[in-house]
Amino acid sequence: MERISIVTEFIFWGLTHNPAVEEVCFVVFLFFYTVIILGNLLTMLTICMVDLLKSPMYFFLNSLSFVDICFSSSTAPKLIADLLAQNKTISYEGCILQLFGVHFFGCTEIFILIVMAYDRYVAICKPLHYATIMDRETCNKLLLGTWLGGFVHTVIPVSLVVQLPFCGPNEIDHYFCDVHPVLKLACTDTHLIGGMVTANSGTITLGSFVILLISYTVILVSLRKQSTEGRCKALSTCGAHITVVIIFFGPCTFTYMRPDITFTEDKMVAVFYTIITPMLNPMIYTLRNAEVKNAMRKLWGRKVYREAQGK
C-alpha cells in the first residue's frame, strides 16, 4: 500500500487536562525518571568497576539496566516536557521513532528477563554444570539473541504502521505513540493489521509470561533439595525476579492481549511498564542483593577514602 498522508504531526491528549494535576505529575515523573537514570547507571557502574561482569547473573543485570534506561527514555522525557506544554505535539517521524523505541527496548527487556530466569534455573537446578553451561560465549550469544529478537518483533508493527495513510484527525488519546492508539487515526480499515499486531505483541507478552512462570515454578519446587541457607538465598533472588515479572507483564498483558481496542485506563496502565518497572528494577535487584550492596559499599567507600587521602 502506498502511503498517502496529509498528517505531518500528531497531538497527544496526555495523562490529564487538569493544569494543577499536570504540575504535580511533572514533579513526580521528573523524580521517577531521575531515579531511573541514576539507579540504573549506579548499578551498571558498580557491576563494571567491581568486575562482576564475569558472573552471568550480573552480566545480564548490567544489560537489563542499560535497556531500562533506553526503554524509559523512549517515553518519559516527552511525557515530562508535555506536562508543562500547551501543545503536546510530535512529528510523524518522531512518532514512528518513538513507536520503534518502545517496542524494540520493551521486547528486548522481555527476552532479557527470560534469559535471566534461565540463568537462575541452571544455577539452582544444575549447579555442578553451571560454569560449563553458562560460559562467556553462551552468555554473549544469549544476549545477542535478545537484541535480535527485539528487533525482529519491532519490524512487524512498525512496517505495518508506516504503510497506513493518515488524513486526520491527528489527536492521540495517549502520552506516547503506541500501535493501537495510532491505528485508530488511520484513514483505512485497520482490523486486519490490528489483529496481526495483537497476534505478534500478544503472543510474545503472554508466551513469555507463561514461560517465566513455569521457569520459576520449577525453580521453587527444586529448592526443596537445597540447604536452608541456599534455599533462603535462592528465594530472595527469585522473589526479586518474580516481583519484576508481575509488575512488568501484568500491564503489558492487559494492553497487548486483546483486540484492536483502546481504553482510557491504557494510559495509566502504560505508566507501570514504561516508568514504574524501570525505576523499581535497580531497587529490587540491588537492595535485595547482598553481593551488589557489598560491592557498592566497597566501591564508594574506597572512593571516599581516596578523596580524604588527597586532601
Side-chain angles (χ1 to χ4, degrees):
M1 183 191 304
E2 182 182 356
R3 188 180 74 83
I4 302 174
S5 180
I6 300 175
V7 173
T8 59
E9 67 177 16
F10 295 100
I11 301 173
F12 292 131
W13 283 14
L15 289 175
T16 177
H17 296 291
N18 188 321
V21 176
E22 286 186 326
E23 291 178 1
V24 174
C25 288
F26 173 82
V27 176
V28 172
F29 287 116
L30 180 61
F31 172 75
F32 284 173
Y33 186 58
T34 303
V35 172
I36 290 171
I37 300 298
L38 295 181
N40 283 290
L41 283 178
L42 178 60
T43 301
M44 293 171 62
L45 186 63
T46 302
I47 291 174
C48 292
M49 293 190 68
V50 187
D51 197 26
L52 292 175
L53 281 174
K54 58 187 177 182
S55 169
M57 182 173 73
Y58 298 111
F59 175 75
F60 294 123
L61 177 57
N62 184 68
S63 300
L64 179 66
S65 295
F66 176 74
V67 171
D68 273 336
I69 292 175
C70 297
F71 182 41
S72 61
S73 296
S74 300
T75 59
K78 177 63 177 170
L79 167 63
I80 294 168
D82 284 346
L83 286 170
L84 297 183
Q86 290 292 331
N87 298 317
K88 302 174 175 58
T89 62
I90 187 172
S91 66
Y92 172 84
E93 293 77 12
C95 183
I96 297 301
L97 185 62
Q98 189 177 57
L99 175 63
F100 179 90
V102 169
H103 279 262
F104 177 52
F105 293 115
C107 188
T108 301
E109 176 159 345
I110 287 175
F111 291 145
I112 290 179
L113 290 173
I114 292 176
V115 170
M116 292 177 72
Y118 174 71
D119 171 70
R120 290 301 85 202
Y121 165 76
V122 177
I124 294 172
C125 299
K126 300 181 179 181
L128 298 179
H129 303 284
Y130 180 71
T132 304
I133 297 175
M134 299 299 294
D135 58 13
R136 178 45 59 93
E137 182 180 359
T138 301
C139 290
N140 288 333
K141 290 180 179 179
L142 288 172
L143 184 61
L144 178 61
T146 64
W147 287 93
L148 289 176
F151 179 78
V152 171
H153 155 74
T154 307
V155 166
I156 297 174
V158 172
S159 62
L160 292 173
V161 170
V162 296
Q163 298 181 64
L164 296 174
F166 295 94
C167 49
N170 65 338
E171 296 182 350
I172 299 177
D173 187 12
H174 216 304
Y175 65 88
F176 69 92
C177 286
D178 203 359
V179 180
H180 291 316
V182 172
L183 288 180
K184 290 180 64 177
L185 305 181
C187 302
T188 185
D189 183 24
T190 60
H191 285 90
L192 178 59
I193 294 177
M196 295 171 65
V197 170
T198 300
N200 177 35
S201 300
T203 299
I204 289 178
T205 303
L206 184 61
S208 300
F209 191 28
V210 172
I211 290 173
L212 286 167
L213 289 180
I214 293 174
S215 299
Y216 285 116
T217 300
V218 172
I219 292 173
L220 293 175
V221 170
S222 68
L223 289 178
R224 294 178 299 176
K225 304 175 184 179
Q226 301 284 335
S227 63
T228 303
E229 182 180 355
R231 189 183 303 120
C232 292
K233 184 178 180 180
L235 281 173
S236 177
T237 302
C238 292
H241 291 204
I242 293 172
T243 302
V244 170
V245 166
I246 293 174
I247 295 175
F248 184 78
F249 281 91
C252 282
T253 303
F254 173 81
T255 302
Y256 297 108
M257 268 304 301
R258 66 170 191 255
D260 186 18
I261 302 173
T262 58
F263 298 115
T264 305
E265 295 79 9
D266 286 349
K267 292 181 285 187
M268 294 308 302
V269 170
V271 169
F272 280 90
Y273 62 83
T274 59
I275 296 178
I276 302 299
T277 301
M279 181 185 67
L280 292 179
N281 276 351
M283 299 180 186
I284 290 174
Y285 284 107
T286 57
L287 297 181
R288 290 178 58 87
N289 190 300
E291 189 173 359
V292 175
K293 286 192 292 186
N294 291 334
M296 285 183 176
R297 292 192 190 101
K298 292 178 182 179
L299 175 63
W300 301 111
R302 191 164 57 227
K303 182 178 180 181
V304 171
Y305 175 75
R306 287 176 180 173
E307 289 178 352
Q309 288 293 99
K311 294 179 181 180

